[in-house]
Amino acid sequence: MRIFFAVLIAALTAGICYILDTKTLLPAPLGKLLAPQQGIWQNAEPVNADFSENIFLQGVEGKVDVYLDDRLVPHVFAENETDVYFVQGFLHAKFRLWQMELQTMAAAGRASEIVGDRALEHDREFRRLGMVYAAENSLMAMEANDTTKKECDAYTAGVNAYIASLPDSKLPIEYKLLGHKPEKWNNLKTALFLKYMSYNLAAHESDFEMSNARNFFSKEDFAKLYPEIQDSMDFIIPKGTVYQKPKLQVKAPATADSLYFSRDTVTAAETAKPDKDNGSNNWAVSGSKTASGAPILCNDPHLGLNLPSIWYEMQLSTPSFNAYGATFPGAPGVIIGYNDSCAFGFTNGGRDVRDYYEIRFKDDSRKEYWFNNEWKRTDFRYERIGIAGKPDYIDTVAYTVFGPVMFDHSFGGKRFSNKKNYAVCWTAHNKSNELMMFHLLNRAHNYEDYTRAVLNLHAPGQNVVFATKSGDIAMRTQGEFPAKWKGQGDFVMPGTDSSYMWQGMIPMDETPYQYNPERGFVSSANQRPADSTYPYYLGREYPAPRGVIINRKLSAMTAKGNITAEDMKTMQTDNYNVFAEMAMPIFMKNLHDSLLTEQEKKYYFLLKNWDLRNNFTSKGATVFVLTWKYFKDTVFADEYAKAPVNTMLPFESTLLEGVLKDSAYKFLDNINTPQTETLADEVTIAFKRACRELAVLEAGHRLDWGSYKDTHINHLLKLSEFSREHLQIGGGTNIINATKEDHGPSWRMVVSLTQKTEAYGVYPGGQSGNPGSSFYDNFVDKWVEGKYYTLWLMTREEKADKRVKWVMHFSKG
């Protein structure tokens, strides 16, 4: 028996040793994860952690002092510009290394190297979209410019200096959990990160979905379902603005209209799309309308809510510039912020700068394709995709005059039956140097500096807001935008000749802009930049409601004057639902309350008495949102029942405007029934359907808007232990406070450009990327409450200020 137990113990010991030393249970050996000297225990940061240190490094030319305040925001003072970017790279890596690497590997189509073949479809799609190709092209432009090359080189050197100093015991916990080691940084990774932002902000299009809708519906119905301009829009540049005759005359091919109503179904579909609500609010009010007499600039970019946050707050100061604001871990410079003279911010331009062309190859070898009456030789790019634990996958991607063939018989995205070939043409593929824009904005003093800076913005196209201490305010819808004929790029286009290609880019001096307008403010909320008199085609896909309520509020405030920063904070966090304001009369006028049960009447009165605010505790907001959801489905489900799976649905504003203009709106009638349904019928049916879901929500104590919406901030690996869940915050779609389930205001900023700048900001995260740090998510609660931190543009003379908690001194090693 003693021998049996000895053998058993030996076997168990061997098994435990095997498990601890292999990746059988986890991607990393369990023994290393639990080891006291280098495992996950080392990532627990003491509450009283001391961040002060003297650092000696090769690559630092002079002395750099970093003053970390009580929120762990670094205020970097360097004697020269090379050092300030070196130290920025070092600090980004120190506090956000895992985030930087994951995002750039995802951008490069290399996620499978970390998480295995579950990311293979993502990686193939990103390689076929040409993300690395686009980054390589931008890198050429960045490195051809001596200024941005020096910035990138210094930034990269700083990141790598930190990586070189990093022992295994101090690796971010995500590396340990996945059994991964950090790679050296390079300038291409910075370009990849910037292209990842271009993907998020300038890659959402609906060409395939719109093509299927066009092919399914009649020409008349299509025009009703997908109007070019929504009547409810309040444009970025006010209606009635006079535009000059265009310098570039664009001509549509003679075959355009006939081809646009063919009947071929598009069978390809992207595996994932950027969130259609990736956007923002920004505005600036003139000093003539404020209590202080100085302009106030506000910005809140709406992006995915993640931990670590997409933003990292810091100040960069040298003898030549002094800038503060939100930075991107992965890129040098301040992205949204202010300096001693001005402030600047961005919202997404929302323009369609990505189009598809159907390619005809000579045969399955894809070595030649038909273009301009001849067979043209194809270029190929061989994409080697590494997969953790498995052999590499080789994907051969064809390149044409339009761009890479993203979808073909070997890759249909979500649709595996695709038999056609679609090349993608995207402005982000072109050479561009957006870093130069940030370089110049960080140093801008006046409107001329701002104009010179934004001319470097090509992709993603943005609405760039600007204000100065000298009193100027401005807005430019800036970017590299194709000059299109009406309807061009809304659908898949023929790729057999050049007649459907872009005929040029809108000249930079013809982009819509405003400078010191008479009304006393500029604003944008991702709506259409200009009305139909603007001489170039702007596309169809623009949300409307946030722009309406922002301009309404600013008009009322500027009429009264004496606007303060507090007024702007209140406005940024406002939960008023202007879309509901327009839709509620339809429901109240047409809902047959006499047909409702007692339980349904309870929900009816919640809706009727609702104050149109999507506050966290509001039950009426939940009733409205579900009623609208079922109303839209009730109206359109019959018409779309036999449409191709990947078909574009109408915008919310299309249905709203349709029934407001015509109570006998064509699509109200259910084509599957013998009777003719009325608006009242459809509203009542929709409400009763909503009530069934509302009853379930109420039973589960989720009838409050905030509980139903259930905002959360996910860790980048979707690890619930490192995430923040069930946040008590209101807001939502069509609301200035655009907080959705996992998407919303990623950085709120208000800057009053008084003699001594008064600035306020907050983002939903924390400065540290370490879940074991008290600085990991310590800003979240303040963000949820709609409160702000005072932003401190520090001077060297304030180094003894009590807000300074730690000091890092960098010197040449």
Side-chain angles (χ1 to χ4, degrees):
M1 184 63 69
R2 286 198 302 271
I3 294 174
F4 170 76
F5 278 115
V7 172
L8 177 61
I9 291 170
L12 289 172
T13 301
I16 291 170
C17 290
Y18 171 78
I19 289 172
L20 291 177
D21 197 42
T22 69
K23 301 180 181 181
T24 303
L25 298 180
L26 291 169
L30 191 58
K32 289 185 177 180
L33 284 176
L34 300 178
Q37 300 305 317
Q38 66 179 20
I40 57 176
W41 319 110
Q42 293 293 321
N43 295 97
E45 186 178 278
V47 175
N48 60 347
D50 185 4
F51 295 98
S52 294
E53 56 181 324
N54 294 314
I55 301 172
F56 299 92
L57 292 169
Q58 293 294 323
V60 178
E61 296 178 1
K63 291 183 179 180
V64 183
D65 297 318
V66 179
Y67 303 97
L68 293 156
D69 65 25
D70 52 0
R71 295 192 294 117
L72 205 65
V73 175
H75 304 262
V76 183
F77 290 86
E79 296 172 347
N80 62 75
E81 295 196 4
T82 298
D83 284 352
V84 85
Y85 294 117
F86 180 97
V87 170
Q88 183 181 25
F90 187 96
L91 293 173
H92 277 171
K94 179 177 176 65
F95 293 108
R96 299 292 187 85
L97 181 60
W98 162 251
Q99 169 191 2
M100 292 165 63
E101 182 151 66
L102 178 66
Q103 290 177 332
T104 53
M105 290 189 77
R110 296 180 56 199
S112 297
E113 295 178 32
I114 302 175
V115 300
D117 59 6
R118 60 181 171 173
L120 181 58
E121 293 303 296
H122 164 274
D123 288 349
R124 290 190 69 192
E125 186 156 293
F126 267 45
R127 301 286 184 100
R128 286 170 161 268
L129 174 58
M131 289 288 286
V132 179
Y133 166 72
E136 290 169 348
N137 286 337
S138 280
L139 182 62
M140 284 190 277
M142 289 157 56
E143 294 192 334
N145 180 295
D146 186 60
T147 298
T148 49
K149 185 180 190 311
K150 286 179 179 177
E151 282 185 16
C152 286
D153 288 347
Y155 183 85
T156 290
V159 174
N160 287 331
Y162 178 75
I163 293 173
S165 72
L166 187 64
D168 285 354
S169 62
K170 296 298 183 183
L171 283 174
I173 192 169
E174 294 90 348
Y175 285 109
K176 297 177 182 179
L177 291 173
L178 292 170
H180 190 67
K181 290 286 185 75
E183 294 181 344
K184 289 187 69 175
W185 195 260
N186 54 49
N187 293 353
L188 178 62
K189 287 179 178 283
T190 292
L192 278 165
F193 176 80
L194 294 173
K195 288 303 170 188
Y196 201 35
M197 294 311 300
S198 289
Y199 170 78
N200 276 320
L201 298 172
H204 185 91
E205 43 67 39
S206 304
D207 294 20
F208 293 159
E209 296 88 341
M210 287 287 281
S211 294
N212 284 337
R214 168 208 66 189
N215 298 341
F216 181 75
F217 291 104
S218 69
K219 189 172 183 177
E220 293 73 22
D221 284 354
F222 181 87
K224 287 185 174 70
L225 292 167
Y226 311 98
E228 182 185 339
I229 296 181
Q230 289 82 35
D231 292 341
S232 59
M233 278 203 178
D234 196 342
F235 307 99
I236 294 174
I237 309 304
K239 190 173 183 179
T241 298
V242 177
Y243 300 100
Q244 300 298 316
K245 184 178 179 181
K247 295 177 180 178
L248 188 59
Q249 300 293 327
V250 184
K251 295 182 179 180
T255 56
D257 192 59
S258 60
L259 283 171
Y260 272 26
F261 288 92
S262 65
R263 289 291 175 257
D264 293 334
T265 298
V266 177
T267 55
E270 295 164 86
T271 57
K273 282 181 178 287
D275 193 306
K276 64 180 177 60
D277 290 329
N278 280 341
S280 310
N281 304 320
N282 68 13
W283 61 83
V285 294
S286 169
S288 64
K289 306 294 183 180
T290 67
S292 68
I296 301 176
L297 181 144
C298 308
N299 195 190
D300 57 298
H302 306 155
L303 298 168
L305 303 179
N306 295 305
L307 287 170
S309 168
I310 191 172
W311 302 108
Y312 179 79
E313 195 177 330
M314 68 191 309
Q315 177 182 351
L316 303 176
S317 184
T318 74
S320 59
F321 82 103
N322 183 32
Y324 185 107
T327 70
F328 281 144
V334 172
I335 306 302
I336 296 175
Y338 62 101
N339 61 30
D340 293 321
S341 303
C342 64
F344 46 90
F346 300 84
T347 68
N348 194 21
R351 306 274 273 278
D352 181 11
V353 295
R354 176 176 156 185
D355 291 337
Y356 288 99
Y357 294 84
E358 186 175 341
I359 302 300
R360 177 156 62 95
F361 286 112
K362 188 174 185 179
D363 52 43
D364 288 344
S365 71
R366 300 180 296 158
K367 292 181 178 179
E368 294 179 287
Y369 61 99
W370 188 253
F371 183 75
N372 280 348
N373 299 313
E374 63 177 355
W375 293 109
K376 189 173 180 66
R377 184 167 295 279
T378 308
D379 293 322
F380 288 100
R381 186 171 176 123
Y382 302 96
E383 301 285 358
R384 179 180 292 274
I385 302 174
I387 306 173
K390 291 189 176 182
D392 292 351
Y393 183 95
I394 309 298
D395 203 4
T396 304
V397 183
Y399 274 69
T400 69
V401 294
F402 302 99
V405 177
M406 189 171 174
F407 300 101
D408 56 24
H409 64 87
S410 73
F411 184 77
K414 286 192 298 188
R415 304 288 299 279
F416 298 104
S417 60
N418 178 56
K419 300 299 181 185
K420 295 184 178 182
N421 307 291
Y422 300 110
V424 59
C425 185
W426 185 27
T427 58
H429 288 152
N430 301 336
K431 291 182 182 180
S432 63
N433 184 7
E434 280 70 33
L435 278 182
M436 194 62 193
M437 174 185 66
F438 298 120
H439 173 92
L440 293 172
L441 282 176
N442 287 186
R443 293 156 178 78
H445 294 90
N446 50 47
Y447 178 73
E448 289 73 24
D449 291 344
Y450 154 76
T451 304
R452 185 164 55 253
V454 299
L455 291 178
N456 292 279
L457 176 57
H458 294 264
Q462 299 284 288
N463 305 304
V464 191
V465 69
F466 183 74
T468 69
K469 289 193 174 185
S470 59
D472 289 332
I473 60 172
M475 177 80 71
R476 291 188 70 92
T477 61
Q478 197 67 46
E480 187 176 36
F481 301 124
K484 297 183 175 184
W485 34 267
K486 184 177 179 180
Q488 186 180 12
D490 289 351
F491 320 106
V492 175
M493 294 181 284
T496 52
D497 60 47
S498 58
S499 61
Y500 284 81
M501 295 180 79
W502 298 339
Q503 297 172 25
M505 298 293 162
I506 297 175
M508 288 290 190
D509 60 353
E510 292 190 274
T511 57
Y513 75 96
Q514 277 191 294
Y515 174 52
N516 290 336
E518 186 178 344
R519 64 180 180 173
F521 70 88
V522 295
S523 75
S524 72
N526 317 117
Q527 73 268 45
R528 187 181 176 93
D531 64 20
S532 59
T533 64
Y534 183 67
Y536 298 101
Y537 181 64
L538 296 174
R540 301 169 193 265
E541 296 187 46
Y542 295 96
R546 273 187 294 112
V548 171
I549 188 61
I550 286 172
N551 285 347
R552 182 196 296 175
K553 284 180 172 290
L554 289 174
S555 294
M557 288 182 181
T558 53
K560 293 179 180 179
N562 292 316
I563 299 170
T564 66
E566 289 300 316
D567 294 331
M568 299 292 90
K569 293 182 199 177
T570 300
M571 182 170 157
Q572 263 189 348
T573 55
D574 189 84
N575 289 331
Y576 185 77
N577 191 329
V578 70
F579 182 83
E581 174 196 296
M582 294 183 275
M584 277 289 287
I586 297 170
F587 291 163
M588 291 297 98
K589 182 178 179 181
N590 292 283
L591 209 166
H592 289 312
D593 56 328
S594 61
L595 301 178
L596 303 179
T597 66
E598 288 305 311
Q599 185 182 40
E600 290 168 344
K601 285 181 179 178
K602 178 177 66 174
Y603 300 129
Y604 168 76
F605 286 115
L606 285 175
L607 182 64
K608 184 177 181 180
N609 297 320
W610 179 41
D611 62 1
L612 303 181
R613 306 189 69 82
N614 281 47
N615 295 331
F616 180 83
T617 58
S618 172
K619 293 177 173 61
T622 309
V623 178
F624 171 78
V625 168
L626 286 178
T627 302
W628 180 264
K629 181 183 84 168
Y630 284 108
F631 178 58
K632 185 175 180 180
D633 182 71
T634 300
V635 172
F636 290 129
D638 51 325
E639 280 84 8
Y640 282 82
K642 296 181 180 179
V645 174
N646 192 31
T647 297
M648 181 79 175
L649 292 172
F651 304 120
E652 286 187 329
S653 55
T654 300
L655 175 56
L656 176 61
E657 291 181 10
V659 295
L660 284 173
K661 288 190 289 187
D662 182 5
S663 60
Y665 184 57
K666 176 179 179 178
F667 303 102
L668 290 170
D669 180 40
N670 188 335
I671 60 176
N672 298 319
T673 64
Q675 69 271 20
T676 300
E677 281 78 13
T678 65
L679 177 56
D681 294 333
E682 299 287 83
V683 168
T684 305
I685 291 169
F687 185 75
K688 283 179 166 289
R689 292 177 65 193
C691 286
R692 290 194 285 272
E693 185 171 347
L694 290 165
V696 174
L697 290 174
E698 187 173 24
H701 306 289
R702 292 188 58 219
L703 192 57
D704 288 354
W705 170 242
S707 299
Y708 171 70
K709 177 164 66 80
D710 194 21
T711 296
H712 54 270
I713 306 175
N714 282 329
H715 179 265
L716 284 169
L717 288 179
K718 302 293 192 290
L719 300 173
S720 60
E721 294 80 5
F722 299 161
S723 303
R724 288 290 301 270
E725 300 176 334
H726 312 306
L727 299 175
Q728 297 188 22
I729 185 169
T733 305
N734 300 320
I735 296 166
I736 297 178
N737 175 19
T739 307
K740 302 196 301 180
E741 180 183 2
D742 57 0
H743 189 277
S746 60
W747 163 247
R748 293 192 184 114
M749 182 183 77
V750 175
V751 182
S752 180
L753 290 157
T754 48
Q755 184 174 2
K756 182 174 177 57
T757 305
E758 298 174 13
Y760 309 89
V762 67
Y763 67 83
Q767 289 288 92
S768 176
N770 177 12
S773 170
S774 59
F775 294 98
Y776 174 66
D777 61 354
N778 56 313
F779 299 166
V780 172
D781 291 342
K782 198 141 190 166
W783 176 83
V784 166
E785 293 167 5
K787 296 180 180 178
Y788 295 69
Y789 294 102
T790 299
L791 307 184
W792 182 27
L793 190 64
M794 179 185 170
T795 64
R796 269 192 182 275
E797 291 69 35
E798 293 176 300
K799 63 184 180 181
D801 191 286
K802 64 181 181 180
R803 288 171 287 186
V804 175
K805 298 299 180 184
W806 305 277
V807 182
M808 301 171 71
H809 297 292
F810 289 79
S811 302
K812 188 172 183 178

